[in-house]
Amino acid sequence: MLRASVRSSRRSIGHVRGGVVLLGRRGAHKSSFGIALATASKLVTPKWMLNNPVSLVSEEMNTLAKGIMTLIGSGHPTLNKVTSYYFEAEGKKVRPMLVLLLSRALSAIPVEQRNNIKIDFTDFETAPLGKEAVQKFLATPPTDHFSPLNIIHGIQSLKNPLTRAAVPLPDRGVWDEDRGILPKQRRLAEIVEMIHTASLLHDDVIDHADTRRGRPSGNVQFSNKMAVLAGDFLLGRATVAISRLRNPEVVELMSSSIANLVEGEFMQLNNLAMEPERVAKVPAPKKLDLQPHDYRVPVATRGEVPNHTSEDAVIASAFDHYLHKSYLKTASLISKSCRATAILSGAQPPVIEAAYNFGKNLGLCFQLVDDMLDFTMSAAELGKPAGADLELGISTAPVLFAWKEDPSLGPLIRRHFAEPGDVQQVLKSVEKHDGVAKTRALAERYRDQALQNLRDALPESDSRSALEFLTNSILTRRR
């Protein structure tokens, strides 16, 4: 019922706001995001494949999909089916695409300037190292395993293990210097997509979603329990693959990005940093005599908002809360994978820092656009439920911008739109006060910062141009 009212009310928001054509409405300009992905993918596609109209993705992206399937394969057919479910559906795969394109762009930096590596003297016995030795070190593939295989496999038969050693990357002994993507960077792209897909499985359970990528969500198709277990399994396999990159800083970065996803979910449970905790009563299991537990963690210890705190200060705090939550849920994985990509390339600290900031600003831009689409697109166009944030009582940037102009939204936001008519009032206020257009303007500022980060970090190249094209096109994506 609520979702129907959100769809109905949203139709009135969809065309021109402050002279800006909003995303995704019928009659608006066609999205260039898919075109950007296809164009960027050609930069990592062999020439012979460019003549094949069926091939819309690169050699590396095709290898990525195959590599993921080998990494997540288990001895249990049902587990295989659930974990591979989202990989089988058509998806943008923006995160691994960014890793691969950034890898190529970093390779344009001369190898003499990419010598910021922790030398493993089991590989090299003498120092100092010349160009050839550094290049050889950078191009080493991920290790197959650290522990003996019988330990990894456990007591299960080696013919059908639930855990396994790493599957070697194709042509692992040959590094294509012209294309510049290192074996560990290719494996990192696989890992990033595994972590993201695990988060989708978990998110759909948390949000009670019923569609994803245009078909039934994993929790609907297989049950909540199987979706959660499959997500856990993907994260387990991803962390094993991370460790085999043999770089402690990359292990720390990627592992912390998984923790950030959880932290972001807990932050999302509250709209405001200063609001009193809204108790979430979770029914206890029937077989255990336990009291319902409040799973929400206080964001601040101040309790009720002090009387002397102005509404403007509360709104400013809400924006800070929202942006930090957006970083944890979306930008953390993108930014830390970009930083890890630069580290694996041997880049110097200023380049590593710029790569991280590029991912952070791009990720925040991506999330802001995602929050706009929730107001301007239908469920059929998105491939997932539309209006889900309002239905879940979550205040995103369009609502917060409207709140700045309409103080009456404060009580509605604090009670998470729980009373009849709250959603309709919010939608009208967002339309009246140009909440979507203002969100777009903020997304543009993050986009501009991301573009500057690229130019600070990378020399001119086709791959950098592709990254710039992708960054610009995020503002026109439709799903």
Side-chain angles (χ1 to χ4, degrees), residues 83-230:
T83 53
S84 64
Y85 183 66
Y86 282 167
F87 293 111
E88 294 169 354
E90 182 182 354
K92 299 181 290 292
K93 295 183 173 59
V94 175
R95 291 155 187 83
M97 176 70 81
L98 286 170
V99 169
L100 293 170
L101 283 174
L102 182 59
S103 298
R104 286 200 63 183
L106 287 162
S107 72
I109 301 174
V111 70
E112 295 90 345
Q113 299 174 28
R114 292 188 287 118
N115 57 359
N116 182 39
I117 55 178
K118 314 302 191 286
I119 298 297
D120 183 346
F121 286 98
T122 61
D123 294 324
F124 302 102
E125 297 178 356
T126 60
L129 300 175
K131 172 182 176 181
E132 293 75 14
V134 171
Q135 189 165 306
K136 178 182 175 183
F137 181 85
L138 293 175
T140 55
T143 188
D144 289 347
H145 55 89
F146 295 108
S147 302
L149 287 179
N150 65 305
I151 301 297
I152 295 174
H153 293 317
I155 63 173
Q156 181 63 268
S157 166
L158 294 181
K159 295 180 181 179
N160 197 24
L162 284 173
T163 56
R164 60 173 64 175
V167 177
L169 288 162
D171 300 326
R172 57 175 298 174
V174 179
W175 174 46
D176 187 344
E177 186 173 359
D178 292 334
R179 297 165 68 74
I181 300 175
L182 301 168
K184 290 181 181 179
Q185 292 171 329
R186 293 170 67 184
R187 180 52 47 85
L188 177 65
E190 297 170 357
I191 291 166
V192 169
E193 186 66 6
M194 289 167 68
I195 294 172
H196 173 60
T197 302
S199 74
L200 297 184
L201 284 162
H202 287 167
D203 282 351
D204 287 345
V205 173
I206 293 168
D207 298 340
H208 309 290
D210 51 17
T211 58
R212 170 71 66 178
R213 293 176 179 171
R215 63 178 186 168
S217 58
N219 50 305
V220 169
Q221 186 75 7
F222 301 104
S223 79
N224 282 345
K225 185 172 184 178
M226 284 192 181
V228 170
L229 291 174

Side-chain angles (χ1 to χ4, degrees), residues 1-3 5-6 9 390 406 408-409 411-413 415-430:
M1 190 73 177
L2 177 58
R3 184 170 296 165
S5 68
V6 171
S9 300
L390 289 177
D406 183 359
S408 70
L409 292 186
L412 282 65
I413 291 170
R415 64 177 178 248
H416 301 262
F417 321 129
E419 296 185 5
D422 283 358
V423 169
Q424 289 73 19
Q425 183 177 340
V426 169
L427 287 169
K428 290 178 181 178
S429 184
V430 168

Side-chain angles (χ1 to χ4, degrees), residues 281-285 288-295:
K281 295 297 184 181
V282 179
L288 298 176
D289 184 19
L290 298 175
Q291 295 298 316
H293 183 68
D294 178 6
Y295 282 87

Side-chain angles (χ1 to χ4, degrees), residues 313-333:
V314 174
I315 296 172
S317 175
F319 259 103
D320 290 341
H321 182 86
Y322 163 77
L323 289 173
H324 187 54
K325 179 263 296 181
S326 298
Y327 170 78
L328 293 171
K329 281 179 59 69
T330 302
S332 173
L333 180 59

Side-chain angles (χ1 to χ4, degrees), residues 200-275:
L200 297 184
L201 284 162
H202 287 167
D203 282 351
D204 287 345
V205 173
I206 293 168
D207 298 340
H208 309 290
D210 51 17
T211 58
R212 170 71 66 178
R213 293 176 179 171
R215 63 178 186 168
S217 58
N219 50 305
V220 169
Q221 186 75 7
F222 301 104
S223 79
N224 282 345
K225 185 172 184 178
M226 284 192 181
V228 170
L229 291 174
D232 292 346
F233 184 78
L234 280 175
L235 292 177
R237 281 290 172 82
T239 53
V240 170
I242 292 168
S243 70
R244 289 170 175 162
L245 296 177
R246 301 198 325 181
N247 188 300
E249 187 173 358
V250 171
V251 171
E252 180 181 58
L253 283 168
M254 300 312 298
S255 298
S256 67
S257 73
I258 297 173
N260 289 160
L261 290 169
V262 179
E263 293 173 310
E265 284 294 337
F266 271 90
M267 282 192 73
Q268 188 165 275
L269 294 173
N270 286 328
N271 283 325
L272 313 177
M274 296 189 295
E275 70 175 325

